Amino acid sequence: MTAPLRWRVARLCERRVETPTAHTLVLEAPGWPGHLPGQHVDVRLTASDGYQAARSYSLAGPAEADRITLTVQRVPDGEVSPYLIDVYAEGDPVEVRGPVGGWFVWRPEETAPVLLVAGGSGVVPLMAMVRARRAAGSRVPFRLLYSVRTPADVFYADELRRRVRDDLGLDVAYVYTREAPQDWRGEPHRIGLADVNSHGWPPELEPLCYVCGPTGFVETVADLLVGLGHQSRRVKTERFGPTG
Amino acid sequence: MSPGFQGRPRSAEPALPPGQYLTQDFPVLSAGPTPRVPLETWEFVISTESGAEFRWSWDELMALPQETPAVDIHCVTRWSKRDTDWQGVSLDTLLEGIDTDARYAQAHSYGGYTTNLPLADLRGGRAWIAHRYDGGPLPAEHGGPARLLVPHLYFWKSAKWVRGIRLTTEDQPGFWETAGYHDYGDPWREQRYQGD
């Protein structure tokens, strides 16, 4: 029997605005045991009457010096995310527990090419993989296909531009569903076979595929990948629906 | 304490297991692509520790006595859903007459998923092979054509796309159980992760 994962107190040390509805929170978490990219953490809030609410959030990057990074998307009518975005202030405590999840992870010693397919805020655990690749000095070929409503909804926009320039073997392609930038070819559309075929890897290369996003998006992309000939067991998925 | 955190108004409804909140929709959580299993080739197999196998085709399953459990379900990711409507065959019916000394069961699915639970938890009117949900055939993303339904445990134990159950004398942790989740998964005791 493994030792229980314990709750520990973390404090907000930095907040970055990704989009009007998504903030990155850097938490100081003393004693954090480390984690793999793709794992998540439970965050627990306690009200003055003792009521508690907890939610899981994907870790957005590797741990550095007892710091962990989350990116929180506001859920309309949510219970936890609006607090973390609007109220939670620098220095405030929050309880965290983790890391959790040992399946939707990428290990830097892997050598297979990697395809990451993100829908909206599903990019968060995939960005952790992109950042871990860089941190480990891995040269494994990575492709990130990122479906997003409009250019203003892109998380980590500057960093992704920089990484494509500096991280050899990393490609990033976008699919815009509502409004595209002028230099993007094509009309806004939902992700389809042509996108996955053009920006993915052929199944013969036996890539590891990670797909994260809302349920319908993940269902579509996973079905396309299997249809293109990728083995089901090499297609890892993480779906999310509305959680508060 | 979290300064300034109020939370939702506390409801007077019957309590949910600790740490859960109610949802009206039906989130989908699975680790890979959704398997599509044709009914013509679908089968359900119970195997015992001595190697005996008991098989049901789709038509044979449909011919068994059907039950319509209306149950609350609880996902380890913290959503709970009240009064979900199912139709299926009780594991009591399927296990009737199967001679076994096994104490454990490992459910396995089309697509390769596995999950373990004590055999006792499949008995006593607490577990079903469910094939209809909310008045219609169980959709593939929710585990159709048929899934295990064990509502008194966290929902990852209710294996989607279920293909069979192996009865074993030793506990064999399944997919999530070997990835850090609790071996048993009782929502009322909040057994989410290993060691809870």
Side-chain angles (χ1 to χ4, degrees):
Chain A
M1 180 74 64
T2 318
L5 280 175
R6 65 181 185 85
W7 290 101
R8 63 184 81 229
V9 176
R11 287 178 192 277
L12 182 64
C13 56
E14 190 189 334
R15 174 186 294 275
R16 296 195 287 266
V17 176
E18 299 293 347
T19 74
T21 59
H23 290 186
T24 288
L25 309 178
V26 183
L27 304 176
E28 190 82 48
W32 182 256
H35 59 265
L36 290 166
Q39 287 191 295
H40 57 267
V41 60
D42 286 358
V43 174
R44 184 164 76 179
L45 306 177
T46 305
S48 53
D49 64 355
Y51 170 81
Q52 294 186 319
R55 298 291 184 273
S56 294
Y57 290 102
S58 288
L59 290 151
E64 14 182 3
D66 288 348
R67 287 183 172 204
I68 55 173
T69 305
L70 319 176
T71 302
V72 176
Q73 168 87 48
R74 180 204 301 276
V75 176
D77 303 322
E79 183 175 32
V80 172
S81 58
Y83 172 84
L84 292 175
I85 288 181
D86 300 331
V87 183
Y88 185 50
E90 215 155 297
D92 280 352
V94 76
E95 284 183 288
V96 297
R97 188 186 190 213
V100 180
W103 168 248
F104 193 83
V105 295
W106 178 74
R107 292 180 167 78
E109 59 271 24
E110 291 278 359
T111 55
V114 170
L115 172 64
L116 309 173
V117 190
S121 57
V123 74
V124 176
L126 307 182
M127 189 63 178
M129 297 178 192
V130 169
R131 288 168 168 166
R133 172 185 183 272
R134 170 71 182 200
S138 165
R139 295 290 186 90
V140 163
F142 259 48
R143 286 181 172 171
L144 168 62
L145 176 55
Y146 185 179
S147 169
V148 68
R149 284 181 190 168
T150 77
D153 292 304
V154 174
F155 292 8
Y156 323 120
D158 292 343
E159 184 182 344
L160 281 171
R161 261 191 296 277
R162 206 169 62 240
R163 291 205 178 274
V164 168
R165 189 190 65 203
D166 298 343
D167 293 10
L168 289 176
L170 169 68
D171 288 325
V172 180
Y174 296 88
V175 173
Y176 298 94
T177 60
R178 298 260 177 94
E179 178 195 322
Q182 293 217 317
D183 60 351
W184 192 64
R185 285 190 210 166
E187 292 297 312
H189 63 271
R190 286 182 181 269
I191 199 164
L193 181 62
D195 303 300
V196 176
N197 206 16
S198 310
H199 301 292
W201 302 102
E204 297 76 46
L205 292 183
E206 301 194 333
L208 285 169
C209 305
Y210 297 85
V211 187
C212 185
T215 296
F217 175 87
V218 171
E219 285 291 308
T220 299
V221 173
D223 285 351
L224 288 171
L225 287 168
V226 171
L228 284 167
H230 293 271
Q231 293 173 34
S232 284
R233 63 181 177 80
R234 297 185 75 83
V235 179
K236 300 191 179 198
T237 62
E238 188 144 284
R239 301 158 165 89
F240 53 81
T243 52
Chain B
M1 214 177 70
S2 312
F5 175 66
Q6 299 301 326
R8 291 210 174 96
R10 320 299 183 257
S11 104
E13 282 191 70
L16 289 172
Q20 298 293 111
Y21 62 91
L22 271 185
T23 182
Q24 301 304 323
D25 56 5
F26 194 170
V28 172
L29 292 140
S30 9
T34 295
R36 316 280 163 182
V37 192
L39 297 184
E40 302 78 61
T41 55
W42 184 91
E43 63 171 4
F44 180 73
V45 185
I46 295 180
S47 61
T48 71
E49 72 277 18
S50 60
E53 290 190 341
F54 302 84
R55 283 171 194 275
W56 292 266
S57 68
W58 185 259
D59 290 343
E60 286 165 344
L61 187 83
M62 294 304 121
L64 292 173
Q66 303 287 315
E67 298 185 2
T68 52
V71 292
D72 296 348
I73 55 177
H74 311 289
C75 178
V76 70
T77 65
R78 294 191 165 76
W79 57 264
S80 289
K81 196 168 167 59
R82 296 242 194 239
D83 295 326
T84 55
D85 282 319
W86 305 83
Q87 182 184 314
V89 175
S90 169
L91 261 294
D92 291 319
T93 302
L94 295 163
L95 288 165
E96 204 175 288
I98 294 183
D99 183 27
T100 178
D101 292 323
R103 290 179 54 208
Y104 300 99
Q106 190 182 57
H108 57 100
S109 299
Y110 290 94
Y113 180 79
T114 54
T115 190
N116 59 309
L117 58 181
L119 177 55
D121 284 76
L122 294 178
R123 299 190 191 270
R126 294 189 297 165
W128 297 266
I129 301 300
H131 54 83
R132 289 178 71 79
Y133 172 73
D134 208 13
L138 181 61
E141 68 266 28
H142 290 305
R147 73 181 297 163
L148 190 57
L149 175 65
V150 193
H152 69 282
L153 299 177
Y154 280 126
F155 218 43
W156 90 79
K157 297 285 181 178
S158 294
K160 295 176 177 181
W161 314 297
V162 71
R163 179 178 199 166
I165 291 173
R166 299 184 192 103
L167 307 181
T168 59
T169 49
E170 294 195 8
D171 193 17
Q172 293 175 4
F175 179 85
W176 289 119
E177 294 81 8
T178 49
Y181 284 78
H182 197 272
D183 198 55
Y184 184 61
D186 181 347
W188 296 94
R189 290 192 279 165
E190 226 179 336
Q191 294 173 332
R192 299 178 187 279
Y193 310 128
Q194 279 172 35
D196 277 354

